[in-house]
Amino acid sequence: MRTLRHLGGFVLGLVATAALLAGAGWAVQQAMANTQAPAGQPLWIALGAMAAVGLVTGLVTAGRVSPLAAFVPSMALLAWTVVYALDMNRALSFIPAEPSMHQILRDAGAGARTLLTSGVYALLGVAMFIPVLMPSRWARRDDYEDEDEDYEESRQGGYY
């Protein structure tokens, strides 16, 4: 059963990685493109997409799912940041920019470039890696409930 939990966490991590890379990149590009105009519908859509990506990131980071759900996107973001630090041209070559690509993917790539070069992906990668280090995230909730049943509860009440 534990393996199934971690498999689900891995799949959720892949979805969160796609949301962070494509969704956040597209939202940042759209928000930056609409900063000169008054707050219109495209800006609100971009801000809503950013909020949705933030919600997914927060749920993956703080939720009681497998720690692999936070580990997979954190490693993708940190690895891409390390590649950027070591070889900038190679890291930027991973971003879709060809005219044959769909416009949405090119917008997401332009936003991802902004997030990568500004260090936001490094920040998010470290923030999502911290919960992986906590041992309580690797154990199931059932493991803790079984330990609590070993102790007898007194009927007289506690100290407080």
Side-chain angles (χ1 to χ4, degrees):
M1 196 60 141
R2 186 173 291 196
T3 329
L4 188 59
R5 176 176 166 253
H6 292 308
L7 179 65
F10 180 76
V11 171
L12 184 61
L14 292 176
V15 171
T17 303
L20 276 169
L21 294 177
W26 178 85
V28 165
Q29 177 64 23
Q30 293 299 310
M32 290 177 58
N34 293 304
T35 56
Q36 302 299 329
Q41 184 178 4
L43 180 62
W44 285 108
I45 291 172
L47 293 175
M50 283 185 208
V53 169
L55 179 67
V56 168
T57 304
L59 289 174
V60 165
T61 303
R64 284 290 302 170
V65 294
S66 170
L68 288 176
F71 182 71
V72 171
S74 71
M75 284 296 104
L77 296 174
L78 289 174
W80 199 10
T81 302
V82 168
V83 171
Y84 177 73
L86 296 175
D87 188 1
M88 186 183 308
N89 292 328
R90 179 175 297 253
L92 294 177
S93 71
F94 297 142
I95 297 173
E98 293 86 26
S100 63
M101 300 295 279
H102 195 277
Q103 181 63 37
I104 293 175
L105 289 176
R106 283 184 286 167
D107 288 345
R113 176 187 301 263
T114 302
L115 293 172
L116 177 66
T117 57
S118 64
V120 174
Y121 279 163
L123 177 103
L124 283 173
V126 170
M128 292 184 78
F129 185 72
I130 298 299
V132 175
L133 300 175
M134 297 182 186
S136 62
R137 293 287 305 260
W138 291 95
R140 292 182 304 184
R141 186 176 297 268
D142 298 340
D143 294 341
Y144 292 121
E145 291 174 1
D146 291 341
E147 291 175 6
D148 292 341
E149 292 175 2
D150 294 339
Y151 299 105
E152 294 181 19
E153 293 183 26
S154 66
R155 297 182 188 264
Q156 297 174 354
Y159 290 105
Y160 301 104

